[in-house]
Amino acid sequence: MSVLIETWHRILPLTPEAYDRFLDFYARRVVEASRDYLENVGGWKFEEGDTNCDICLYRYDSVAQVGETMASFGADADYLKEVNALFSDIEIEETRTLGMPIAIATDARLDAVLDETPEVARRYFRVERSLPTLARSEALELFEALVEAHEKQGSRRLVTAFEPIVGDVTKLMEIWVLPESASDPSHTRANIDPGLLQRLARKSTRLNSSHVVSSYAVFCLKKKNKNQKTSQ
């Protein structure tokens, strides 16, 4: 199974001009750049709360390929020159979380979303919850039941869910996609069995949730050609 990196950016000063400049740089020099082993899954900007933050998700075949990708950026003189120019005017904080998808968050599930071509930009929902070590197995079983219930009702679909490999390994990060017809957050509130929600609440703690929208054009900017990938 692949590994994921979730990258957070916080941009200061908080002005449209500063964010647009960062977005242009990041989409052009990082997301769209041709890099070995690098597959951008999506990029989002928060609609609420910390609105000067955005997140970007990448997928790799292995942890080793993460290091190779980072090294390739450091060896690009033009990239480094543009980074230095950008950082002289804008303060950018970047944090990364290396994660392992849980069993239900298969590559096939993620690919199914990536392969879709929606007519309108879709909205997403990010949830972060804590799974205590002793209750982890039962909590994950209940979470899978929650995914099945939401998807059966069509209220939202799980894109991926992963646990950090290092750091706070009790966390679970989830990204859901809302139906194309969704126009407000009420689409995330489905008629889910209260008993299931209560059992999940006893076995895990929902830390926060946010509605996010695509900030790097569309959900999947490009998919790496698998044949090209295996020949490198």
Side-chain angles (χ1 to χ4, degrees):
M1 182 176 284
S2 303
V3 295
L4 299 171
I5 283 189
E6 184 183 68
T7 303
W8 285 62
H9 303 105
R10 178 175 282 106
I11 297 91
L12 298 171
L14 180 53
T15 64
E17 294 77 17
Y19 183 78
D20 287 345
R21 184 178 173 189
F22 161 77
L23 196 62
D24 173 73
F25 162 79
Y26 199 79
R28 177 171 44 82
R29 297 293 292 169
V30 180
V31 175
E32 295 179 359
S34 177
R35 301 281 174 181
D36 291 346
Y37 315 117
L38 175 64
E39 181 182 15
N40 176 263
V41 171
W44 302 271
K45 191 175 188 298
F46 287 95
E47 287 187 318
E48 55 198 9
D50 216 348
T51 54
N52 65 326
C53 278
D54 68 15
I55 54 177
C56 199
L57 192 66
Y58 297 97
R59 176 165 60 173
Y60 298 82
D61 284 345
S62 68
V63 174
Q65 290 180 348
V66 176
E68 293 185 39
T69 298
M70 299 306 172
S72 73
F73 282 107
D76 186 334
D78 290 337
Y79 169 81
L80 294 176
K81 181 179 179 179
E82 193 165 350
V83 166
N84 290 333
L86 182 68
F87 274 59
S88 66
D89 299 325
I90 303 173
E91 180 180 346
I92 303 170
E93 300 175 6
E94 181 174 285
T95 58
R96 303 186 191 109
T97 300
L98 179 64
M100 184 69 69
I102 62 174
I104 195 174
T106 61
D107 284 333
R109 170 184 287 276
L110 180 55
D111 285 334
V113 179
L114 295 177
D115 287 338
E116 294 174 353
T117 55
E119 295 183 358
V120 296
R122 294 181 295 192
R123 302 177 72 225
Y124 302 85
F125 191 64
R126 183 186 183 278
V127 179
E128 189 172 306
R129 76 179 78 230
S130 177
L131 306 179
T133 303
L134 295 179
R136 178 181 177 277
S137 296
E138 188 174 353
L140 288 177
E141 290 180 4
L142 293 168
F143 175 72
E144 291 187 8
L146 178 68
V147 172
E148 182 179 348
H150 271 298
E151 295 183 345
K152 184 176 181 180
Q153 294 188 22
S155 53
R156 50 175 145 151
R157 280 192 298 152
L158 182 70
V159 176
T160 191
F162 61 94
E163 298 172 303
I165 295 175
V166 296
D168 189 351
V169 296
T170 65
K171 284 186 177 180
L172 177 66
M173 273 73 90
E174 313 157 20
I175 295 179
W176 303 74
V177 62
L178 304 185
E180 290 187 35
S181 59
S183 59
D184 61 71
S186 65
H187 285 81
T188 67
R189 296 191 291 269
N191 185 26
I192 303 300
D193 176 14
L196 171 60
L197 297 176
Q198 290 171 5
R199 293 193 300 275
L200 182 59
R202 286 196 295 268
K203 298 298 180 180
S204 67
T205 303
R206 183 162 165 164
L207 302 176
N208 58 63
S209 60
S210 301
H211 284 82
V212 292
V213 292
S214 296
S215 61
Y216 303 110
V218 294
F219 180 58
C220 179
L221 292 156
K222 63 174 183 174
K223 291 197 67 177
K224 196 167 187 66
N225 185 292
K226 297 299 181 182
N227 294 327
Q228 176 187 1
K229 194 173 189 179
T230 56
S231 65
Q232 292 173 338

